[in-house]
Structure formats: C-alpha cells, structure tokens
C-alpha cells in the first residue's frame, strides 16, 4: 500500500478481528499452478515424482533401507506379543557344559544324542526336530544311526546343501551328510531344511524361501501348514516373555539340557520326565556361546533384565516360526497398490502443508498431527497383524519432506517474485531503502491514519494541457510518461514518497511512512531539482515538432498532516491529507503570480538547511487568510546578491523607507532582466510596512 497506489483487497478481505484473512488452500494451489511457469512446474513435478518413488521404494534404497529396518525392529519389539510359556514346544539343547562334560566340542557326542532320542521316543512327543547337521564321521555313528532308524516318533533331521548355504557347508561335508541321511531315512525319520535367510545387516526378520531341491522347512515339516502359506516368506512373529514378577521372566519356550534325557532311565523315571515332552514338539539343537547365534529385531534394543543386546540361537528361531505356524498368525503385507496410494497421499500432504495459510498454531497442529501419523500409524498397522517389512515409514517421512520442500520452494519462488514485484511497485512510490524496510516490516506502513509532520511538494507543468490538444494521444502518453519519470526519479533519489500523479502534476512528501533527520534538506533539494528537470525537459522538447510548453512550478511547505490508508473495504490508497498539503498546492500555484519557479514557505525554509534561499516577501495565498513568508532558491546568485535582496525585504518589513528605496534602486539596476526580483520590488512598493501581497 503505497502512495498513490490503489489496491484491491476484496478477494481476501480481512478477518473480523482485523487480521489478514487466510487464503483458501484451493485458491493457493490454483495460483501456484498458474504462476509457476512451464520450466519450474516441470522441475517441481519431477521433484514430486522423486518424492513419491522414495515414499514407495525406500526399503530398496541403500541409506533409507537401514532406517526402515531400524524402524521395523522398533515396531517388532514394541508390538511383540507378551506371552506366557508355550506348552506346545520344548527345546532340548546341548550347551557349553554338555560339551565340556563329554570332551567333544563339535559335533555333539552322538552316543549322548542316541541315548536321549531313545528316551524321548518313548515319552510321547508329537514330533522331534533335530537342528544338528551330521556332516562328518564319528566313531559312535552306528549307535546313532541305529536309533534314528528305530524311531517311532516323527523325527526330522537337519539338512543343508552348499548351493543355498555356501558359508556353512562345503562340498565334501554335503556328500557325507547325504550319505549319512540315506542310511537312516525311514517312514518316521526324514530330512528337513534348516535354512535361514538373514538380511544384509545379518538380522533375521523373514521366513526363508523354499528352494525346490531342499526338503521341507523344519517348521513346515513338524506341523501341518495350510497350502496357502506353504511358501510364506513374510515377517517372523517373535514373542517376548510376560513378566511373571518384578525382575523375573518365564521364557517363551522351555529350554531343557539334553543331559536330562540322556541318562539311563527305567520305566518309572521315564514316565516322570515324560510330562516335559508329552504331546509337544521337541526341538533339539545347540545353545552354545558364539555359535549358531542370530540377530533378530529384538536384538537391536537392550534386554530389560540383562542390559545386553541379546542374540537368539537358531533353534529358538525355529521355535518362534513353529509357534507362528501353529497359531496361523500369518502377517499379510500391505498390497502394492495401497503402498502407491499412500506414497502419493503423504507427498501431497507435505506439499499442501507448505501452502497452508492459517494461524501459526493451526499450522503447527497440522504439522505435529502428520508427524504423529508417521510415528504412530506404522506401529498401529503392525499391531493389527500386518506385515510391515515392506511398509516405508521412513520413506513416507522423507517423501513428505520432499513434497513440502518441492511445493514450498515453488511457492517461495512465486512469493519472491511477488515480493520483488511488490518491492518494485513500492519503489515506484518510495525510496528503495524505505521500500525494503517496509517489505521486511509491513507494520511500518500504517494501516490507519496517523498525524505526521511532513514536507509536502506540489508541481505543475505549464502549458501541457494545451499541448495535449495539439498532438496525438500516443505522443501525449509518451511525453507525459517521460516527464513524470524524470520527476519521480528525483523524488525517490532524494528519499521522498510519491503520493499521486494528477495529470502532469506530481504530489510527494517527506517524513512518511518513515521519517529521517534529513527530510527537510532532501525535500528542498528535490524541489529545486524538479524545477531544473522541468527546464531540461523544455529544452529537450524544443527539438521535437510539438508546441512549446512552459516551466515546471514547484511549491514546498512543512506541517502536520494525516497520513495513512484511506478508502473503502475493497480499495485503499496511501496518501496525506491536511492543511499543509493545501498550503504546498497554493504555493505551487503562487509561482505564476510571483513569476518564480519554486516557492518555499518560511517554515520549510527554516528546516531546509540551504544558504541559497532568497526571501520573496509576504503574500496571502489564494483562498487563504493567513499571510505566508515565502522564499525561492537562487543558487545562480552570489551570497552578496542574495544578501542585498534580503536587506530589501527586511527594510520593508521594518518600515524603513529610506533603506528600502536605497536597496530597491540598487537592486533594480542590478536585476533589470529578472522578472521575479522586479516584481518583488513592485509588490513591496505597493504595500505598507509588514503588509502581505494578496494573490488573486
């Protein structure tokens, strides 16, 4: 809102409390699309496409994948079911103590295993899974082979092959294993795959694939699985033990040392121990430090009891998979189309958030709400039994951020253009530094009227109306624009504010919207410069085939005025109103009668800081009752000449006729060709002491 500029504010009218009304989001989007331009629109769309791809495929991007895994592990840990001990599954393990007692580090003492199997086979176990690979010979192999062939309980022997597990078994081991199992396989004893697939960060999160050349996976082999999930490769549901008491936990799966079942037993002892395994799935394997230990999602966080990052033995991983299968707790992934839709929605949400034009608290609330969604929604989905190993939670946040940045940058680009345009528009009426300050702090441009002491300047071009009737409209427009450009530049260069253009007249003031200590000297300098620019324009115009024009007349006064925005609700204008403006206008008009080019009131002259001002007597301006002492700048005169004119006016004011006549005679001879000085002598001669000359 600048001087002389009328701005239409009706589309976005202010709110009832006086604050600027929020621009509707739909309108802001439409404005963004219309104003962005083809190249920037293409760049913004490309950036949004990248954002959507990140929000969709972050699980497959190197850096984002690590973040997604960390978030998934947090979900799997936080949402893991807390359960009591599963009575369907029992682990029978050989540990470091077992190996120490038998004196055999690896493989396990097969006599010990044979004795344990003999007892377990008579205890009523539902099925037995042995997670031990017999890939090298031992002296006691015949005893174990005989027991395996004699098993009446369905028993599954671990099998591995080099092609799918090259880091665990080599070719000769595989050949021995195949030969070993060929000797013991019966209707009850069969091979089973113990293949695991870890992610490239060495963490087990999902069920493995089932290569056609491998026997069934241990969990699938031990218990029936529905055909729809026979090749399930989704997330493993890891369980955590419920807290039985403060500082105590009961493990999810009972873990009994194999030594318990390997001792000689009679029927009564066997019956007593059978309660530990009867009707259960028995998993036999190692629980050895630094061997067959796997990281799971639960390993990422420290255990509440031990304070350590707990790993999990492979046998226990099989137990969790078996329990998941028994419970039919299959986690179905979010469908691909739904992930695409969600990716697009979060990117759009980010982009639209950057365009929200509401109060800060509502913007903050919208932002926090969306951040809460990114944090809470994946956990909620996980708790509903959805497989979130493909849910791009981190990708959503990055996609949202990219969408926010892309659209926000586009909006800021347009905003910068608009601010540049607005500052340029302000610069047409205000000095560049003032316009910049107002752009930074719009409150400096008062939205209501205020009383300010300002220096007012009015100009008028003599003869331009006559010229406009003698030339074409195009010529009038060209000449007028050139003339006003010259005068406008002078006002702005001297720190003034352009109030308005009235035909060929320029109205300007100093002291608003910002006041500065040098407003008076700058206004006086500008008044003289505008007169001189008008004279230069006359000379330049003489070279063209157009009628001549007269001088540019300028009036300068200082006084109080009401400055601010005036108008209706829909259209406003920044201007100054008051007697000081009227006085400046009358001074401009008085130049014609006084045969001067620039007239400065005594009040303005006192603050102009100029030593080239010449008093032009006391006059009563047209339409005014109060006389005004006026001055005109005469830098073309010497200080002595200006002093003699001042003595002339002072002698008249004092009523000293002798001194007046002496001064008038000398000045008249010296300024015989200066109409303004000659008319000054004439006016003073016609008036008495202290009287003003009344302008008609």
């Amino acid at each position: 809102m600048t001087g002389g500029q009328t701005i239409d504010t009706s589309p976005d009218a202010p709110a009832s409390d006086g604050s600027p009304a929020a621009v509707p989001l739909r309108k802001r989007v439409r404005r963004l699309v219309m104003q962005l331009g083809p190249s920037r629109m293409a760049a913004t769309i490309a950036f949004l496409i990248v954002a959507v791809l990140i929000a969709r495929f972050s699980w497959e991007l190197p850096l984002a994948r690590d973040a997604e895994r960390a978030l998934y592990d947090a979900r799997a840990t936080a949402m893991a079911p807390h359960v009591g001990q599963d009575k369907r599954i029992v682990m029978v393990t050989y540990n470091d103590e077992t190996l120490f007692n038998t004196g055999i580090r690896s493989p396990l003492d097969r006599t010990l295993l044979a004795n344990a199997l003999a007892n377990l086979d008579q205890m009523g176990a539902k099925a037995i899974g042995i997670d031990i690979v017999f890939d090298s010979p031992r002296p006691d192999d015949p005893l174990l082979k005989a027991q395996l062939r004699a098993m009446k309980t369905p028993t599954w022997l671990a099998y591995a092959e080099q092609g799918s597990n090259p880091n665990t078994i080599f070719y000769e081991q595989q050949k021995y294993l195949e030969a070993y199992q060929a000797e013991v396989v019966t209707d009850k004893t069969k091979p089973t795959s113990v293949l695991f697939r870890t992610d490239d960060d060495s963490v087990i999160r999902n069920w493995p694939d089932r290569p056609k050349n491998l026997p069934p996976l241990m969990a699938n082999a031990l218990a029936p699985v529905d055909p729809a999930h026979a090749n399930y490769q989704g997330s493993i549901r890891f369980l955590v033990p419920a807290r039985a008491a403060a500082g105590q936990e009961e493990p999810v799966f009972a873990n009994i040392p194999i030594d318990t079942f390997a001792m000689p037993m009679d029927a009564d002892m066997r019956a007593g121990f059978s309660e530990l395994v009867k009707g259960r799935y028995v998993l036999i394997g190692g629980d050895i430090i630094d061997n067959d230990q796997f990281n799971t999602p639960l390993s990422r966080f420290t255990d509440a009891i031990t304070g350590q990052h707990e790993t999990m033995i492979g046998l226990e991983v099989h137990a969790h998979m078996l329990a998941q299968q028994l419970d039919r707790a299959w986690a179905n992934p979010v469908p691909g189309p739904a992930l695409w839709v969600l990716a697009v929605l979060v990117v759009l949400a980010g982009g639209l958030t950057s365009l929200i034009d509401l109060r800060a608290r509502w913007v903050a609330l919208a932002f926090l709400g969306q951040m809460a969604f990114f944090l809470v929604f994946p956990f909620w989905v996980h708790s509903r039994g959805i497989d979130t190993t493909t849910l791009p939670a981190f990708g959503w946040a990055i996609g949202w951020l990219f969408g926010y940045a892309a659209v926000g940058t586009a909006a800021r680009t347009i905003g910068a253009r608009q601010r540049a345009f607005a500052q340029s528009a302000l610069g047409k009426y205000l000095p560049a530094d003032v316009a910049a300050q107002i752009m930074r702090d719009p409150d400096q441009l008062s939205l209501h009227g205020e009383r300010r002491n300002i220096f007012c300047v009015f100009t008028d071009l003599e003869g331009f109306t006559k010229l406009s009737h003698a030339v074409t409209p195009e010529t009038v427009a060209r000449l007028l624009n050139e003339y006003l450009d010259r005068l406008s530049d002078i006002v702005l260069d001297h720190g003034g504010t352009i109030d308005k253009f009235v035909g060929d007249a320029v109205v300007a003031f100093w002291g608003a919207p910002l006041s500065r200590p040098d407003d008076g000297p700058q206004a006086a300098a500008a008044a003289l410069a505008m007169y001189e620019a008008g004279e230069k324009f006359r000379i330049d115009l003489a070279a063209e085939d157009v009628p001549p024009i007269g001088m540019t007349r300028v009036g300068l006064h200082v006084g109080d005025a009401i400055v601010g925005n005036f108008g209706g609700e829909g259209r406003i204008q920044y201007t100054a109103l008051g007697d000081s403006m009227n006085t400046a206008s009358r001074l401009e008009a008085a130049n014609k009668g006084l045969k001067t080019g620039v007239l400065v009131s005594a009040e303005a002259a006192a603050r102009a800081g100029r030593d080239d001002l010449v008093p032009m007597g006391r006059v009563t301006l047209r339409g005014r009752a109060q006389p005004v002492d006026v001055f005109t700048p005469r830098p073309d005169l010497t200080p002595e000449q200006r002093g003699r004119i001042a003595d002339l006016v002072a002698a008249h004011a004092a009523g000293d006729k002798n001194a007046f006549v002496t001064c008038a005679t000398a000045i008249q001879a010296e300024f015989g060709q200066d109409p303004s000085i000659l008319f000054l002598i004439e006016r003073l001669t016609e008036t008495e002491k202290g009287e003003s000359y009344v302008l008609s």
Side-chain angles (χ1 to χ4, degrees), residues 251-508:
V252 177
F253 305 107
N255 187 339
I256 304 174
I258 195 170
D259 309 65
T260 305
F261 300 99
M263 69 181 70
M265 295 183 181
D266 56 22
D268 292 337
M269 181 181 291
R270 194 176 294 115
F273 279 99
S274 66
E275 295 300 321
L276 299 175
V277 299
K278 186 175 183 180
R280 301 187 186 187
Y281 296 96
V282 178
L283 302 180
I284 301 175
D287 186 1
I288 305 172
I289 298 173
D290 297 330
N291 187 36
D292 198 34
Q293 299 285 334
F294 293 92
N295 286 306
T296 69
L298 306 180
S299 305
R300 183 176 292 273
F301 306 97
T302 57
D303 184 83
I305 303 299
T306 66
Q308 303 293 321
H309 292 273
E310 297 289 340
T311 56
M312 186 177 291
I313 60 173
L315 193 69
E316 189 173 359
V317 176
H318 285 297
H320 282 279
M321 295 167 65
L322 177 58
Q324 182 177 0
Q325 179 173 306
L326 293 172
D327 293 335
R328 298 182 179 274
W330 310 114
N332 296 315
V334 179
L339 291 177
W340 276 109
V341 171
L342 288 169
V344 172
L345 288 178
V346 297
V347 172
L348 287 178
L352 294 177
T353 301
S354 69
L355 297 179
I356 293 178
D357 184 25
L358 297 173
R359 294 181 181 274
R361 63 174 177 268
W362 296 113
V363 175
L365 185 62
F367 175 80
L368 293 175
Q370 291 176 84
M371 293 303 101
F373 168 82
F374 294 137
L375 291 174
V376 175
F377 181 71
F379 283 85
W380 180 82
V381 169
H382 192 100
S383 70
R384 307 298 293 178
I386 303 297
D387 184 355
T388 61
T389 55
T390 59
L391 193 72
F394 179 76
W396 286 349
I398 297 300
W400 185 94
L401 185 62
F402 273 43
Y404 184 94
V407 178
T409 299
R412 283 191 295 274
T413 298
I414 292 176
R417 290 177 180 173
Q418 292 174 339
R419 284 192 297 273
F421 175 80
Q423 187 164 345
S424 175
L426 283 173
K428 301 294 185 182
Y429 301 91
L430 300 172
D433 60 335
V434 176
Q437 289 186 54
I438 290 174
M439 290 299 295
R440 290 192 298 268
D441 183 13
D443 289 342
Q444 295 189 66
L445 190 59
S446 177
L447 298 179
H448 56 277
E450 59 179 346
R451 186 175 298 278
R452 301 289 287 269
N453 190 256
I454 61 173
F455 291 83
C456 315
V457 168
F458 270 73
T459 75
D460 185 56
L461 178 59
E462 184 180 17
F464 191 80
T465 302
K466 182 179 180 181
L467 173 66
S468 65
H469 291 93
V471 297
T472 63
E474 293 78 9
T475 302
V476 172
R478 178 178 62 82
L479 296 176
L480 180 59
N481 286 332
E482 181 181 348
Y483 173 76
L484 294 177
D485 275 345
R486 296 188 185 190
L487 269 60
S488 298
D489 289 343
I490 293 171
V491 173
L492 299 179
D493 289 344
H494 287 78
T497 298
I498 298 175
D499 185 319
K500 62 177 71 72
F501 301 116
V502 183
D504 57 75
V506 177
V507 182

Side-chain angles (χ1 to χ4, degrees), residues 143-208:
L143 177 63
L144 179 58
K145 290 178 180 178
Q147 181 59 50
L148 290 171
R149 287 192 294 267
M151 294 296 292
K152 296 181 175 58
T153 304
T155 303
W156 299 88
L157 290 176
Y159 174 81
E161 55 99 22
Q162 187 183 22
S164 59
N165 214 352
N167 297 324
T168 303
I169 188 170
F170 56 87
Y171 180 75
E172 287 75 9
Q173 288 177 302
Q174 180 184 338
K175 288 304 180 183
Y176 181 84
L177 174 62
E178 291 174 352
Y180 190 101
Q181 292 192 350
E183 295 184 40
V184 301
V185 169
T186 65
D187 290 342
K188 295 296 185 180
T189 302
K190 298 178 182 179
T192 180
S193 172
V194 291
L195 176 67
F196 285 144
R197 296 294 191 195
T198 61
D199 294 329
D200 55 18
D201 60 349
S202 301
V203 178
I204 295 178
R205 297 183 178 89
N206 295 302
W207 285 58

Side-chain angles (χ1 to χ4, degrees), residues 72-82 240 296-301 382:
Y72 171 78
D73 293 346
R75 295 192 294 271
T77 301
M79 298 292 106
H82 289 66
V240 295
T296 69
L298 306 180
S299 305
R300 183 176 292 273
F301 306 97
H382 192 100

